Amino acid sequence: LGIKRAHRSRCFWMRQCGIVNSVPRVSVVLMTRDRAQWLRQAVSSVRAQTVQDYELVIVDDGSVDETPALLRDLAAADSRVVVVNGGGQGIAHAVAVGVAASSAALVSLLADDDEYFPTFVETMAKALDDALEVDAVYSDYLAEFRDSIFGGTAGQMVEMRPGPPGELPSRNVVWGCMFRRAMYDRIGGWPQETDIASDWQFWLTAYANGARLAQVREPLYLYRYWMGGSTFQRRAQQLAEAAQIGEWYRAGALRKI
């Protein structure tokens, strides 16, 4: 997969060599490609968190716009920013590369065109601290429709309340999330057989292997629906991958443990 060969920023190597001793409470892994205009807002939402004990691992998946220059500036200005080269191999590979470069026991994910609300890290980490038997938590989210797609109207904001974990065999219910790195490693990491629907494969694999998921009933994540988003641009691929994931689950192929 080339994950171990990914290029990491200077601060990552400093931490690996013991020059930086502190381990952050949370690793935020952000995947990006050619979306500098959105990336600034996503990074700002992380910087605005009420808890600042985090590292921000940004995986550049082959950008050719101004993203690389922006990332160099971000890493130079903030030692908590870790920049990783994903090599342009897709979403699933970028997530795996990002988590591999992270160091915290708790990991959260963020897309470059989405945002966290200010209490996301604090609330999600506390939920895991308060329930040690839980492996992962996911929150309600606010859907922002930038275009009139997927049944929404441009300019519309809708609060979404995803279903319980028991609905995972039929559809993905996880958007804003935080999970224990131990659970991630236990089920084999981020799946590479799919890409645009790899998030559902990951969570369904966790569910199939007995991971305990809990909901945080508060909208802490902003998810954007727009015509330039991966969900719209790659809809046919997403549906095809989802059909395959469903078959794997019904055949028991997602069980790892």
Side-chain angles (χ1 to χ4, degrees), residues 80-122:
R80 294 172 300 179
V81 176
V82 178
V83 177
V84 183
N85 182 353
Q89 297 186 51
I91 296 171
H93 184 265
V95 176
V97 166
V99 177
S102 69
S103 62
L106 302 179
V107 180
S108 65
L109 306 177
L110 179 62
D112 56 4
D113 54 350
D114 296 337
E115 296 179 30
Y116 288 162
F117 290 122
T119 60
F120 178 91
V121 170
E122 179 180 9

Side-chain angles (χ1 to χ4, degrees), residues 59-243:
V59 184
D60 181 8
D61 191 34
S63 295
V64 295
D65 65 352
E66 62 182 291
T67 295
L70 174 59
L71 293 180
R72 286 194 295 271
D73 291 343
L74 289 171
D78 191 340
S79 62
R80 294 172 300 179
V81 176
V82 178
V83 177
V84 183
N85 182 353
Q89 297 186 51
I91 296 171
H93 184 265
V95 176
V97 166
V99 177
S102 69
S103 62
L106 302 179
V107 180
S108 65
L109 306 177
L110 179 62
D112 56 4
D113 54 350
D114 296 337
E115 296 179 30
Y116 288 162
F117 290 122
T119 60
F120 178 91
V121 170
E122 179 180 9
T123 303
M124 301 291 269
K126 185 177 186 303
L128 287 170
D129 288 345
D130 290 347
L132 297 180
E133 74 282 1
V134 171
D135 295 298
V137 291
Y138 61 100
S139 72
D140 293 349
Y141 66 98
L142 192 64
E144 177 186 5
F145 289 88
R146 305 285 295 206
D147 297 296
S148 297
I149 55 176
F150 298 125
T153 303
Q156 187 179 21
M157 302 283 281
V158 181
E159 184 174 332
M160 301 293 195
R161 294 174 60 85
E167 292 184 7
L168 275 167
S170 60
R171 63 189 181 95
N172 189 24
V173 296
V174 180
W175 272 260
C177 64
M178 185 176 290
F179 54 83
R180 300 189 194 278
R181 176 66 180 272
M183 183 272 289
Y184 176 92
D185 293 337
R186 188 170 70 247
I187 65 171
W190 200 264
Q192 299 297 301
E193 300 87 355
T194 56
D195 192 61
I196 185 64
S198 60
D199 54 346
W200 185 37
Q201 185 180 350
F202 174 77
W203 291 112
L204 190 53
T205 299
Y207 178 81
N209 287 277
R212 296 187 178 184
L213 281 65
Q215 295 174 270
V216 174
R217 281 307 189 193
E218 183 178 348
L220 299 172
Y221 191 94
L222 177 66
Y223 184 89
R224 289 191 174 93
Y225 289 97
W226 63 297
M227 289 183 179
S230 298
T231 302
F232 183 81
Q233 291 284 326
R234 301 172 63 187
R235 184 60 171 169
Q237 180 183 352
Q238 184 183 46
L239 293 174
E241 289 184 0

